[in-house]
């Protein structure tokens, strides 16, 4: 099965210069755990719930701390023509739970571990291992 058949095409994006409070509101309103950060139609980062929790733990001011200050700038993506198994392999290798999907180098969607579980039951074992990782330095979201 190809990623383009499974991915969520409704990707919520934000700009790097907005506050963490505004980003948090968007995540709550949309019931999502991450936001893709874009500038000039290019993916420049990803902000996850974990990034926001870390900022809170560090007692950062959510109104003045900008997304670009805490987002993960190293974003792994996958082409929409790749297979779901390719996505699982990349997620496990990079220890991530979300992958922005690109078409011709531009953001086209997002695929998450939860999306994969619903469409590919045989890959559940790999995803279960990914979701239960307790590895020092794990940067998942």
């Amino acid at each position: 099965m190809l990623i383009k058949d499974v991915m969520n095409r409704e990707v919520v994006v934000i700009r790097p210069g907005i506050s963490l409070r505004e980003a948090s509101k968007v995540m709550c309103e949309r019931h999502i755990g991450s936001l893709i950060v874009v500038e000039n139609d290019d993916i420049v980062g990803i902000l996850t719930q974990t990034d926001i929790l870390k900022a809170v733990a560090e007692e950062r001011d959510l109104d003045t701390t900008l997304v670009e200050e805490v987002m993960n700038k190293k974003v792994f993506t996958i082409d929409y023509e790749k297979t779901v198994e390719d996505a699982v392999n990349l997620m496990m290798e990079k220890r991530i739970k979300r992958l922005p999907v690109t078409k011709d180098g531009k953001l086209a969607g997002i695929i998450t571990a939860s999306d994969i579980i619903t469409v590919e039951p045989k890959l559940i074992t790999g995803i279960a291992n990914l979701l239960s990782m307790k590895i020092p330095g794990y940067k998942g979201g």
Side-chain angles (χ1 to χ4, degrees), residues 2-13 34 36 38 41-43 45-46 75-84 86-88 90-91 96-113 115-116:
L2 298 179
I3 290 172
K4 67 181 178 183
D5 300 323
V6 177
M7 70 182 192
N8 184 340
R9 291 172 179 4
E10 295 181 30
V11 184
V12 182
V13 300
S34 65
I36 306 301
V38 298
D41 292 330
D42 293 322
I43 299 169
I46 186 168
V75 182
F76 299 99
T77 63
I78 193 160
D79 187 85
Y80 83 123
E81 289 286 351
K82 296 283 187 178
T83 67
V84 172
D86 291 332
V88 170
L90 182 58
M91 289 171 153
I96 56 175
K97 298 176 198 171
R98 300 165 179 92
L99 271 175
V101 179
T102 58
K103 177 181 179 183
D104 300 323
K106 295 295 179 186
L107 183 63
I110 190 165
I111 189 164
T112 67
D115 296 329
I116 294 167

